Amino acid sequence: MGEAGGVPGAAFDPAESACVIVGVDTYASLTPLPAVRNNLKALKAALTDRTIGGMPKRNCRVVLNPRTITAALRPVEQAVQAARDTLIVYYAGHGFLDSRQEGLYLTLPGTEAGKVHSGIPYTWLRSVLGTRTPPRRRIVILDCCYSGSVIKGMSAGSMAGAMSTASATQQASSRLGEALFAGMDGMEGVSYLLTSTPWNVEALAPEGEEYTAFTGEFLRVLREGIPAPRPVPAEGAADAGPSAGAASPPSGDPAAHLSLEAIYREVRRSLWEKNRPLPQQQSQNGIEKLPFVRNRAVRPVRPAPQAPQGPQGEHGAGGAPPEADDGATEEQTAARAQAVRKGRRRALVSALCVAAVAIPSAWWWQSRGDEPSSGPCSDDVALIGHSDALNGVEYEAAVPVDGLSGLAVAGASRAWALADNPPGRIFDLDLGTSGAAAPAARAVDMRTLHPTGGGRFDGEGLVLEKGGRTVLVASEAGPSIRRFRVSDGVETGRVELPRNLVEWSGPENLEALGASPDGRYLYAGLEAPLFRDGKARGRGLLRIQRFTGTPGGAYVADKQYAYQSAAGLRVSELVALGGDRLLVLETNHAEGQGNAVRVFGADLSRAKDVSGVASLQSEPVDAFAKKWEPVDLVTCPRGGAAAAQPQLNPLLENAEGMALGAAPLSTGPYKGRMPLFLVSDNNNSPHQITRVYALAVRLDRGAD
């Protein structure tokens, strides 16, 4: 923080300031977060270090694992009464969203999944901070899932169901017009808000790292400082790349200090480079531009002498900045000059970005025409091509071909695609290729599904049964697996689910469905964990249910396997290869970064049958399916691809359907590989694209 006794309104006075650092690392029923304990200890050390924050240790209180709401909020209330200048309140732990106006809930050690009353509404914390009493500045830093929901203009109010997570928030955010909370301003009683994620994104606690992803970078900046302006992604444009802008201390900041704005920019830049959730900030009255902590990367230099002002400006005839004569070395002077040039270029780039976004009809980003549109993505997967021919199309000029969330190959170049929009439809697609060439998909037929038995139906996974007369559909709502006749779309029966998949499922459950090539086995995959299973360091502890039976006949529950998703991702689809081997599509959407699309292989043959296991939290790693990763689509060629929102690779979209081709490729550079088709769900949004992908995949490898 600024010098003690600094000029009011120009810097923080650490002697008159306080901090309350709250965190939960141990839970009775949720995943433990061991990195949080490290966060708390290190953050207090930094804020009370005389070379960084300079706050007296007695003014900074750590609250680890408060058992009750009172135990968590009373220290904040006491600090409000004690601090006269600045109060910093930090929280790290699990966070969740509720459909009511409270939005974000912070958790306690006893918080239970599905029980809103066991958490702390963020609005309660905000009310404790008050508005009419000292301190003059209130800084809130939140490191938890969906923390960006407290930023003004972000809302969870349109979500359905309590404790909504990825799919509900993604559906809301895809409209890019998130409904504001009526009358709710996250800045009430707060001078500055810093959150670890956007409002619809989960925070990360990467396995093997000492701190959580956001706080680790925040601590690094406090400890190391910022030696020189560095590139950052532009606000609201995460794909702008490292050359999009530079973070420099705001005008007027002492060179030896960092502002909250400078810290935020550097943390954001670093997280962007690591493809991790991006922090968000909001402030009042320019507090973010004031000196906050000492910049440990800048050593004091002797004051610059007054330069005579010449007729050509305040820096004299040569126009040199005053830094040129402050005793710095030639290297330092050159670095400063380069920083000035970068700042000028940054202003131009920012203006161009604003202009591009302001044109409603323009794509957000499109790759150059000279970049390849096909080629290797990894050792095991190559991109044959993609097609946006279905985007914005209506079948027979009446029914939009969108919301495609499931895919099943019906022939060499034919497939059925499942739309999750009510009442539920399947479209007969001519893919325009058997896989050797880029697709050129078009809808040639359609069936409307007719579910029976009442209740909501939300089809997500699709299997075309052997013989082509019936399809099986996994419905997220319910949940259920239903059989429909292809000829007229009438429901003819259901597959009975095990009790635990019904009684302990959340709003995100049955998403993926696949059948073995001979139809003997049916596999159903969960998108998100059961309430009892939860997550481990951001990785979903999921279940894949295997059924045995015959195509068109009865299927009965057989074995249940444990599967761990990658951090921050959820299962969208699976393809059964035979021999209890699967391809699993894992995806997610992060506001400001776009989509993540990765395909994993899974070997269930040696995994434990967890049908009778109440919770996967206590299961050892060898109880889970063995995994390998054939491809992350971000590594695929991007030529010719367009994106209607920020993406790390414009090829990426909200892929939800996946199906293996009918036969190996017989020609071309990838002869012998199997074609793999993906389709994206545009969520009925003008800001997302219905896209079909054709990949060539090697299937002769497995888990190490």
Side-chain angles (χ1 to χ4, degrees):
M1 272 160 268
E3 299 287 351
V7 179
F12 301 104
D13 184 350
E16 294 294 326
S17 301
C19 66
V20 180
I21 303 174
V22 184
V24 180
D25 72 336
T26 302
Y27 292 88
S29 61
L30 301 179
T31 308
L33 299 171
V36 167
R37 184 181 294 257
N38 300 331
N39 287 0
L40 272 56
K41 181 179 179 180
L43 184 58
K44 177 177 180 179
L47 293 177
T48 58
D49 189 315
R50 295 184 63 184
T51 66
I52 302 177
M55 187 182 296
K57 291 184 178 181
R58 64 179 180 276
N59 291 12
C60 194
R61 182 172 178 180
V62 170
V63 182
L64 177 64
N65 295 324
R67 296 291 171 182
T68 65
I69 295 176
T70 299
L73 297 185
R74 179 169 290 167
V76 178
E77 183 179 20
Q78 293 169 344
V80 168
Q81 298 171 356
R84 290 292 177 266
D85 188 279
T86 301
L87 172 61
I88 303 170
V89 177
Y90 168 93
Y91 170 83
H94 287 299
F96 63 85
L97 293 175
D98 177 62
S99 61
R100 298 177 297 180
Q101 282 198 352
E102 285 87 353
L104 180 70
Y105 278 71
L106 312 178
T107 56
L108 299 168
T111 296
E112 298 180 51
K115 297 184 178 180
V116 174
H117 64 271
S118 62
I120 308 174
Y122 167 75
T123 52
W124 291 14
L125 168 62
R126 196 182 63 191
S127 67
V128 170
L129 290 173
T131 57
R132 294 184 296 273
T133 59
R136 293 187 299 163
R137 307 177 183 92
R138 300 166 177 84
I139 297 171
V140 175
I141 303 173
L142 301 176
D143 188 358
C144 61
C145 293
Y146 317 120
S147 52
S149 61
V150 304
I151 298 291
K152 183 179 180 180
M154 299 301 177
S155 168
S158 60
M159 296 178 212
M163 297 187 72
S164 300
T165 49
S167 66
T169 51
Q170 179 179 343
Q171 184 177 9
S173 68
S174 67
R175 303 185 185 98
L176 296 186
E178 303 90 349
L180 306 183
F181 277 139
M184 175 178 175
D185 182 353
M187 294 300 292
E188 183 181 345
V190 180
S191 306
Y192 180 81
L193 269 172
L194 178 61
T195 70
S196 60
T197 72
W199 76 275
N200 66 336
V201 178
E202 296 180 352
L204 295 183
E207 188 173 1
E209 296 188 15
E210 186 175 7
Y211 308 109
T212 58
F214 163 77
T215 299
E217 293 302 326
F218 187 80
L219 288 168
R220 179 188 62 80
V221 176
L222 294 185
R223 290 166 170 172
E224 300 177 5
I226 304 176
R230 303 182 68 179
V232 296
E235 280 283 356
D239 193 34
S243 62
S248 57
S251 176
D253 273 11
H257 289 80
L258 294 176
S259 66
L260 288 163
E261 171 77 10
I263 295 170
Y264 163 76
R265 293 288 181 179
E266 173 62 14
V267 170
R268 185 179 173 93
R269 179 204 63 79
S270 181
L271 290 171
W272 181 88
E273 289 182 350
K274 295 179 179 180
N275 193 24
R276 291 179 171 180
L278 299 181
Q280 311 292 304
Q281 71 166 353
Q282 192 170 10
S283 64
Q284 293 186 355
N285 302 323
I287 185 177
E288 78 281 5
K289 299 187 182 301
L290 298 177
F292 178 59
V293 296
R294 293 182 180 275
N295 185 0
R296 297 183 82 177
V298 176
R299 287 178 293 183
V301 295
R302 68 175 187 267
Q306 292 289 332
Q309 296 200 8
Q312 298 182 12
E314 64 176 341
H315 301 319
E323 290 89 341
D325 193 26
D326 64 357
T329 65
E330 292 183 6
E331 291 81 0
Q332 290 172 323
T333 302
R336 289 169 178 167
Q338 184 181 16
V340 172
R341 291 193 295 271
K342 284 184 177 180
R344 292 169 181 166
R345 289 198 300 269
R346 181 179 75 250
L348 177 60
V349 171
S350 297
L352 291 174
C353 290
V354 171
V357 172
I359 303 174
S361 61
W363 293 114
W364 186 86
W365 193 88
Q366 185 163 0
S367 55
R368 300 195 308 267
D370 58 348
E371 294 181 347
S373 57
S374 63
C377 306
S378 69
D379 292 340
D380 297 317
V381 178
L383 175 68
I384 302 300
H386 74 278
S387 170
D388 295 345
L390 293 176
N391 191 55
V393 169
E394 291 186 343
Y395 174 71
E396 294 187 343
V399 180
V401 184
D402 57 13
L404 305 184
S405 61
L407 192 67
V409 167
S413 62
R414 297 294 283 272
W416 286 97
L418 171 69
D420 60 5
N421 311 321
R425 299 182 177 91
I426 52 173
F427 293 94
D428 185 1
L429 303 182
D430 180 350
L431 297 174
T433 180
S434 60
R442 62 190 182 94
V444 297
D445 203 355
M446 184 198 75
R447 298 286 188 278
T448 297
L449 301 180
H450 301 284
T452 61
R456 196 166 67 91
F457 174 77
D458 181 10
E460 297 290 348
L462 179 69
V463 165
L464 179 62
E465 295 194 273
K466 207 168 183 179
R469 297 178 180 176
T470 55
V471 293
L472 291 170
V473 176
S475 171
E476 191 171 50
S480 62
I481 300 176
R482 312 186 189 203
R483 178 176 282 121
F484 297 89
R485 281 198 303 262
V486 172
S487 59
D488 57 10
V490 171
E491 181 180 333
T492 62
R494 301 192 184 189
V495 176
E496 184 177 355
L497 300 177
R499 289 181 58 187
N500 65 336
L501 298 189
V502 177
E503 295 178 357
W504 292 99
S505 64
E508 303 165 300
N509 40 62
L510 283 187
E511 180 80 13
L513 194 66
S516 59
D518 59 6
R520 178 184 175 189
Y521 294 118
L522 181 69
Y523 299 88
L526 298 179
E527 178 181 16
L530 299 178
F531 284 149
R532 283 187 172 181
D533 293 334
K535 297 184 179 183
R537 299 191 177 184
R539 300 180 178 183
L541 305 182
L542 309 175
R543 297 183 187 236
I544 296 176
Q545 177 67 51
R546 190 179 78 175
F547 301 86
T548 59
T550 56
Y555 281 97
V556 296
D558 180 25
K559 294 183 178 180
Q560 201 171 93
Y561 300 100
Y563 178 88
Q564 191 174 67
S565 68
L569 301 185
R570 66 187 194 279
V571 168
S572 291
E573 192 55 279
L574 59 81
V575 167
L577 305 176
D580 277 337
R581 296 170 70 245
L582 309 174
L583 291 180
V584 182
L585 177 65
E586 297 188 22
T587 63
N588 197 15
H589 177 271
E591 188 172 297
Q593 288 178 287
N595 295 93
V597 182
R598 297 165 69 179
V599 177
F600 291 88
D603 184 355
L604 308 179
S605 62
R606 292 172 289 175
K608 176 182 176 180
D609 181 0
V610 295
S611 301
V613 176
S615 173
L616 299 180
Q617 286 287 337
S618 59
E619 289 300 300
V621 66
D622 58 4
F624 289 77
K626 308 302 179 186
K627 292 179 62 176
W628 69 97
E629 185 175 8
V631 67
D632 182 339
L633 258 65
V634 77
T635 64
C636 289
R638 58 182 65 192
Q645 59 177 316
Q647 300 285 357
L648 295 176
N649 180 336
L651 182 72
L652 298 176
E653 271 298 328
N654 180 38
E656 288 203 3
M658 180 173 68
L660 207 60
L665 301 177
S666 58
T667 60
Y670 307 110
K671 180 179 178 180
R673 296 191 184 187
M674 286 295 294
L676 183 70
F677 298 98
L678 306 179
V679 66
S680 67
D681 179 355
N682 72 341
N683 288 309
N684 316 113
S685 167
H687 304 285
Q688 292 179 282
I689 299 171
T690 300
R691 176 168 290 167
V692 176
Y693 305 81
L695 305 170
V697 186
R698 286 181 50 199
L699 299 178
D700 56 353
R701 68 159 291 184
D704 296 330

